mmCIF file with all atom_site columns, all heavy atoms in Angstrom:
data_model
loop_
_atom_site.group_PDB
_atom_site.id
_atom_site.type_symbol
_atom_site.label_atom_id
_atom_site.label_alt_id
_atom_site.label_comp_id
_atom_site.label_asym_id
_atom_site.label_entity_id
_atom_site.label_seq_id
_atom_site.pdbx_PDB_ins_code
_atom_site.Cartn_x
_atom_site.Cartn_y
_atom_site.Cartn_z
_atom_site.occupancy
_atom_site.B_iso_or_equiv
_atom_site.pdbx_formal_charge
_atom_site.auth_seq_id
_atom_site.auth_comp_id
_atom_site.auth_asym_id
_atom_site.auth_atom_id
_atom_site.pdbx_PDB_model_num
ATOM   1   N N   . PRO K 1 28  ? 0.624  17.078 -10.119 1.00 98.00 ? 28  PRO K N   1
ATOM   2   C CA  . PRO K 1 28  ? -0.158 16.309 -10.966 1.00 98.00 ? 28  PRO K CA  1
ATOM   3   C C   . PRO K 1 28  ? -1.260 15.627 -10.152 1.00 98.00 ? 28  PRO K C   1
ATOM   4   O O   . PRO K 1 28  ? -1.091 15.064 -9.092  1.00 98.00 ? 28  PRO K O   1
ATOM   5   C CB  . PRO K 1 28  ? 0.841  15.198 -11.382 1.00 98.00 ? 28  PRO K CB  1
ATOM   6   C CG  . PRO K 1 28  ? 2.255  15.669 -10.935 1.00 98.00 ? 28  PRO K CG  1
ATOM   7   C CD  . PRO K 1 28  ? 1.883  16.613 -9.821  1.00 98.00 ? 28  PRO K CD  1
ATOM   8   N N   . THR K 1 29  ? -2.495 15.656 -10.722 1.00 98.00 ? 29  THR K N   1
ATOM   9   C CA  . THR K 1 29  ? -3.558 15.007 -10.074 1.00 98.00 ? 29  THR K CA  1
ATOM   10  C C   . THR K 1 29  ? -4.502 14.374 -10.988 1.00 98.00 ? 29  THR K C   1
ATOM   11  O O   . THR K 1 29  ? -4.420 14.537 -12.261 1.00 98.00 ? 29  THR K O   1
ATOM   12  C CB  . THR K 1 29  ? -4.453 16.054 -9.317  1.00 98.00 ? 29  THR K CB  1
ATOM   13  O OG1 . THR K 1 29  ? -5.380 16.666 -10.137 1.00 98.00 ? 29  THR K OG1 1
ATOM   14  C CG2 . THR K 1 29  ? -3.663 17.059 -8.559  1.00 98.00 ? 29  THR K CG2 1
ATOM   15  N N   . MET K 1 30  ? -5.382 13.575 -10.509 1.00 98.00 ? 30  MET K N   1
ATOM   16  C CA  . MET K 1 30  ? -6.549 13.020 -11.287 1.00 98.00 ? 30  MET K CA  1
ATOM   17  C C   . MET K 1 30  ? -7.784 13.634 -10.972 1.00 98.00 ? 30  MET K C   1
ATOM   18  O O   . MET K 1 30  ? -8.954 13.081 -11.283 1.00 98.00 ? 30  MET K O   1
ATOM   19  C CB  . MET K 1 30  ? -6.590 11.497 -11.209 1.00 98.00 ? 30  MET K CB  1
ATOM   20  C CG  . MET K 1 30  ? -5.294 10.794 -11.665 1.00 98.00 ? 30  MET K CG  1
ATOM   21  S SD  . MET K 1 30  ? -5.532 9.067  -12.135 1.00 98.00 ? 30  MET K SD  1
ATOM   22  C CE  . MET K 1 30  ? -6.058 8.282  -10.539 1.00 98.00 ? 30  MET K CE  1
ATOM   23  N N   . HIS K 1 37  ? -4.958 17.277 -1.803  1.00 98.00 ? 37  HIS K N   1
ATOM   24  C CA  . HIS K 1 37  ? -4.495 17.927 -2.941  1.00 98.00 ? 37  HIS K CA  1
ATOM   25  C C   . HIS K 1 37  ? -4.139 19.391 -2.764  1.00 98.00 ? 37  HIS K C   1
ATOM   26  O O   . HIS K 1 37  ? -3.158 19.867 -3.265  1.00 98.00 ? 37  HIS K O   1
ATOM   27  C CB  . HIS K 1 37  ? -5.478 17.918 -4.152  1.00 98.00 ? 37  HIS K CB  1
ATOM   28  C CG  . HIS K 1 37  ? -5.865 16.574 -4.651  1.00 98.00 ? 37  HIS K CG  1
ATOM   29  N ND1 . HIS K 1 37  ? -7.033 15.973 -4.343  1.00 98.00 ? 37  HIS K ND1 1
ATOM   30  C CD2 . HIS K 1 37  ? -5.139 15.592 -5.358  1.00 98.00 ? 37  HIS K CD2 1
ATOM   31  C CE1 . HIS K 1 37  ? -7.054 14.744 -4.986  1.00 98.00 ? 37  HIS K CE1 1
ATOM   32  N NE2 . HIS K 1 37  ? -5.817 14.509 -5.543  1.00 98.00 ? 37  HIS K NE2 1
ATOM   33  N N   . PHE K 1 56  ? -5.926 14.909 -15.008 1.00 98.00 ? 56  PHE K N   1
ATOM   34  C CA  . PHE K 1 56  ? -5.949 13.849 -16.057 1.00 98.00 ? 56  PHE K CA  1
ATOM   35  C C   . PHE K 1 56  ? -6.153 12.471 -15.382 1.00 98.00 ? 56  PHE K C   1
ATOM   36  O O   . PHE K 1 56  ? -5.349 11.953 -14.730 1.00 98.00 ? 56  PHE K O   1
ATOM   37  C CB  . PHE K 1 56  ? -4.732 13.760 -17.006 1.00 98.00 ? 56  PHE K CB  1
ATOM   38  C CG  . PHE K 1 56  ? -4.776 12.883 -18.020 1.00 98.00 ? 56  PHE K CG  1
ATOM   39  C CD1 . PHE K 1 56  ? -5.703 13.080 -18.972 1.00 98.00 ? 56  PHE K CD1 1
ATOM   40  C CD2 . PHE K 1 56  ? -3.903 11.747 -18.091 1.00 98.00 ? 56  PHE K CD2 1
ATOM   41  C CE1 . PHE K 1 56  ? -5.638 12.077 -20.205 1.00 98.00 ? 56  PHE K CE1 1
ATOM   42  C CE2 . PHE K 1 56  ? -4.047 10.959 -19.048 1.00 98.00 ? 56  PHE K CE2 1
ATOM   43  C CZ  . PHE K 1 56  ? -4.932 11.012 -20.255 1.00 98.00 ? 56  PHE K CZ  1
ATOM   44  N N   . ASN K 1 58  ? -5.896 9.108  -15.808 1.00 98.00 ? 58  ASN K N   1
ATOM   45  C CA  . ASN K 1 58  ? -4.946 8.442  -16.785 1.00 98.00 ? 58  ASN K CA  1
ATOM   46  C C   . ASN K 1 58  ? -5.370 6.959  -16.971 1.00 98.00 ? 58  ASN K C   1
ATOM   47  O O   . ASN K 1 58  ? -5.118 6.097  -16.083 1.00 98.00 ? 58  ASN K O   1
ATOM   48  C CB  . ASN K 1 58  ? -3.610 8.376  -16.147 1.00 98.00 ? 58  ASN K CB  1
ATOM   49  C CG  . ASN K 1 58  ? -2.519 7.672  -16.991 1.00 98.00 ? 58  ASN K CG  1
ATOM   50  O OD1 . ASN K 1 58  ? -2.628 7.607  -18.166 1.00 98.00 ? 58  ASN K OD1 1
ATOM   51  N ND2 . ASN K 1 58  ? -1.477 7.149  -16.224 1.00 98.00 ? 58  ASN K ND2 1
ATOM   52  N N   . GLN K 1 61  ? -3.117 3.776  -16.058 1.00 98.00 ? 61  GLN K N   1
ATOM   53  C CA  . GLN K 1 61  ? -2.712 3.302  -14.756 1.00 98.00 ? 61  GLN K CA  1
ATOM   54  C C   . GLN K 1 61  ? -3.849 2.471  -14.099 1.00 98.00 ? 61  GLN K C   1
ATOM   55  O O   . GLN K 1 61  ? -3.781 2.141  -12.855 1.00 98.00 ? 61  GLN K O   1
ATOM   56  C CB  . GLN K 1 61  ? -2.198 4.464  -13.828 1.00 98.00 ? 61  GLN K CB  1
ATOM   57  C CG  . GLN K 1 61  ? -3.323 5.420  -13.390 1.00 98.00 ? 61  GLN K CG  1
ATOM   58  C CD  . GLN K 1 61  ? -2.563 6.543  -12.726 1.00 98.00 ? 61  GLN K CD  1
ATOM   59  O OE1 . GLN K 1 61  ? -1.967 7.464  -13.344 1.00 98.00 ? 61  GLN K OE1 1
ATOM   60  N NE2 . GLN K 1 61  ? -2.702 6.675  -11.375 1.00 98.00 ? 61  GLN K NE2 1
ATOM   61  N N   . VAL K 1 128 ? 1.633  5.010  -14.430 1.00 98.00 ? 128 VAL K N   1
ATOM   62  C CA  . VAL K 1 128 ? 1.829  6.239  -13.679 1.00 98.00 ? 128 VAL K CA  1
ATOM   63  C C   . VAL K 1 128 ? 3.215  6.889  -14.246 1.00 98.00 ? 128 VAL K C   1
ATOM   64  O O   . VAL K 1 128 ? 3.289  8.067  -14.478 1.00 98.00 ? 128 VAL K O   1
ATOM   65  C CB  . VAL K 1 128 ? 2.142  5.903  -12.151 1.00 98.00 ? 128 VAL K CB  1
ATOM   66  C CG1 . VAL K 1 128 ? 2.678  7.081  -11.410 1.00 98.00 ? 128 VAL K CG1 1
ATOM   67  C CG2 . VAL K 1 128 ? 0.768  5.423  -11.597 1.00 98.00 ? 128 VAL K CG2 1
ATOM   68  N N   . VAL K 1 131 ? 2.778  8.454  -17.689 1.00 99.00 ? 131 VAL K N   1
ATOM   69  C CA  . VAL K 1 131 ? 2.044  9.792  -17.722 1.00 99.00 ? 131 VAL K CA  1
ATOM   70  C C   . VAL K 1 131 ? 2.799  10.838 -16.955 1.00 99.00 ? 131 VAL K C   1
ATOM   71  O O   . VAL K 1 131 ? 2.700  12.041 -17.534 1.00 99.00 ? 131 VAL K O   1
ATOM   72  C CB  . VAL K 1 131 ? 0.567  9.704  -17.288 1.00 99.00 ? 131 VAL K CB  1
ATOM   73  C CG1 . VAL K 1 131 ? 0.447  9.661  -15.704 1.00 99.00 ? 131 VAL K CG1 1
ATOM   74  C CG2 . VAL K 1 131 ? -0.378 10.675 -17.832 1.00 99.00 ? 131 VAL K CG2 1
ATOM   75  N N   . VAL K 1 132 ? 3.412  10.557 -15.928 1.00 99.00 ? 132 VAL K N   1
ATOM   76  C CA  . VAL K 1 132 ? 4.191  11.630 -15.152 1.00 99.00 ? 132 VAL K CA  1
ATOM   77  C C   . VAL K 1 132 ? 5.394  12.011 -16.061 1.00 99.00 ? 132 VAL K C   1
ATOM   78  O O   . VAL K 1 132 ? 5.702  13.307 -16.104 1.00 99.00 ? 132 VAL K O   1
ATOM   79  C CB  . VAL K 1 132 ? 4.572  11.091 -13.793 1.00 99.00 ? 132 VAL K CB  1
ATOM   80  C CG1 . VAL K 1 132 ? 5.618  11.961 -13.133 1.00 99.00 ? 132 VAL K CG1 1
ATOM   81  C CG2 . VAL K 1 132 ? 3.494  10.802 -12.835 1.00 99.00 ? 132 VAL K CG2 1
ATOM   82  N N   . LEU K 1 135 ? 3.879  14.442 -18.433 1.00 99.00 ? 135 LEU K N   1
ATOM   83  C CA  . LEU K 1 135 ? 3.524  15.745 -17.683 1.00 99.00 ? 135 LEU K CA  1
ATOM   84  C C   . LEU K 1 135 ? 4.765  16.562 -17.453 1.00 99.00 ? 135 LEU K C   1
ATOM   85  O O   . LEU K 1 135 ? 4.733  17.763 -17.648 1.00 99.00 ? 135 LEU K O   1
ATOM   86  C CB  . LEU K 1 135 ? 2.757  15.456 -16.356 1.00 99.00 ? 135 LEU K CB  1
ATOM   87  C CG  . LEU K 1 135 ? 1.370  14.795 -16.517 1.00 99.00 ? 135 LEU K CG  1
ATOM   88  C CD1 . LEU K 1 135 ? 0.965  14.295 -15.257 1.00 99.00 ? 135 LEU K CD1 1
ATOM   89  C CD2 . LEU K 1 135 ? 0.353  15.866 -17.000 1.00 99.00 ? 135 LEU K CD2 1
ATOM   90  N N   . PHE K 1 146 ? 4.034  15.579 -4.778  1.00 98.00 ? 146 PHE K N   1
ATOM   91  C CA  . PHE K 1 146 ? 3.320  14.379 -4.845  1.00 98.00 ? 146 PHE K CA  1
ATOM   92  C C   . PHE K 1 146 ? 3.009  14.047 -3.298  1.00 98.00 ? 146 PHE K C   1
ATOM   93  O O   . PHE K 1 146 ? 3.794  14.326 -2.419  1.00 98.00 ? 146 PHE K O   1
ATOM   94  C CB  . PHE K 1 146 ? 4.112  13.156 -5.397  1.00 98.00 ? 146 PHE K CB  1
ATOM   95  C CG  . PHE K 1 146 ? 4.386  13.298 -6.779  1.00 98.00 ? 146 PHE K CG  1
ATOM   96  C CD1 . PHE K 1 146 ? 5.451  14.015 -7.220  1.00 98.00 ? 146 PHE K CD1 1
ATOM   97  C CD2 . PHE K 1 146 ? 3.516  12.683 -7.736  1.00 98.00 ? 146 PHE K CD2 1
ATOM   98  C CE1 . PHE K 1 146 ? 5.613  14.143 -8.695  1.00 98.00 ? 146 PHE K CE1 1
ATOM   99  C CE2 . PHE K 1 146 ? 3.769  12.850 -9.122  1.00 98.00 ? 146 PHE K CE2 1
ATOM   100 C CZ  . PHE K 1 146 ? 4.803  13.570 -9.542  1.00 98.00 ? 146 PHE K CZ  1
ATOM   101 N N   . ASP K 1 150 ? 0.587  8.098  -1.484  1.00 98.00 ? 150 ASP K N   1
ATOM   102 C CA  . ASP K 1 150 ? 0.848  7.207  -2.499  1.00 98.00 ? 150 ASP K CA  1
ATOM   103 C C   . ASP K 1 150 ? 2.425  6.981  -2.484  1.00 98.00 ? 150 ASP K C   1
ATOM   104 O O   . ASP K 1 150 ? 3.141  7.466  -3.292  1.00 98.00 ? 150 ASP K O   1
ATOM   105 C CB  . ASP K 1 150 ? 0.429  7.692  -3.910  1.00 98.00 ? 150 ASP K CB  1
ATOM   106 C CG  . ASP K 1 150 ? -1.044 7.816  -3.831  1.00 98.00 ? 150 ASP K CG  1
ATOM   107 O OD1 . ASP K 1 150 ? -1.727 6.651  -4.042  1.00 98.00 ? 150 ASP K OD1 1
ATOM   108 O OD2 . ASP K 1 150 ? -1.690 9.002  -3.882  1.00 98.00 ? 150 ASP K OD2 1
ATOM   109 N N   . GLN K 1 153 ? 4.200  5.228  -5.244  1.00 98.00 ? 153 GLN K N   1
ATOM   110 C CA  . GLN K 1 153 ? 4.169  6.101  -6.517  1.00 98.00 ? 153 GLN K CA  1
ATOM   111 C C   . GLN K 1 153 ? 5.293  7.215  -6.393  1.00 98.00 ? 153 GLN K C   1
ATOM   112 O O   . GLN K 1 153 ? 6.165  7.492  -7.227  1.00 98.00 ? 153 GLN K O   1
ATOM   113 C CB  . GLN K 1 153 ? 2.902  6.846  -6.613  1.00 98.00 ? 153 GLN K CB  1
ATOM   114 C CG  . GLN K 1 153 ? 2.830  7.937  -7.583  1.00 98.00 ? 153 GLN K CG  1
ATOM   115 C CD  . GLN K 1 153 ? 1.405  8.429  -7.814  1.00 98.00 ? 153 GLN K CD  1
ATOM   116 O OE1 . GLN K 1 153 ? 0.652  7.867  -8.502  1.00 98.00 ? 153 GLN K OE1 1
ATOM   117 N NE2 . GLN K 1 153 ? 1.104  9.551  -7.112  1.00 98.00 ? 153 GLN K NE2 1
HETATM 118 O O1  . PAF F 2 .   ? -1.576 10.367 -7.739  1.00 58.04 ? 301 PAF F O1  1
HETATM 119 C C1  . PAF F 2 .   ? -2.214 10.553 -8.768  1.00 58.04 ? 301 PAF F C1  1
HETATM 120 O O2  . PAF F 2 .   ? -3.240 11.329 -8.746  1.00 58.04 ? 301 PAF F O2  1
HETATM 121 C C2  . PAF F 2 .   ? -1.831 9.950  -10.085 1.00 58.04 ? 301 PAF F C2  1
HETATM 122 O O3  . PAF F 2 .   ? -1.264 8.763  -9.867  1.00 58.04 ? 301 PAF F O3  1
HETATM 123 C C3  . PAF F 2 .   ? -0.875 10.879 -10.903 1.00 58.04 ? 301 PAF F C3  1
HETATM 124 C C4  . PAF F 2 .   ? 0.396  11.133 -10.142 1.00 58.04 ? 301 PAF F C4  1
HETATM 125 C C5  . PAF F 2 .   ? -1.616 12.252 -11.087 1.00 58.04 ? 301 PAF F C5  1
HETATM 126 C C6  . PAF F 2 .   ? -0.612 10.234 -12.270 1.00 58.04 ? 301 PAF F C6  1
HETATM 127 O O4  . PAF F 2 .   ? -1.639 10.006 -13.036 1.00 58.04 ? 301 PAF F O4  1
#
Side-chain angles (χ1 to χ4, degrees):
T29 83
M30 298 204 300
H37 296 110
F56 179 67
N58 175 32
Q61 69 188 75
V128 169
V131 82
V132 170
L135 291 166
F146 293 83
D150 294 289
Q153 167 173 283

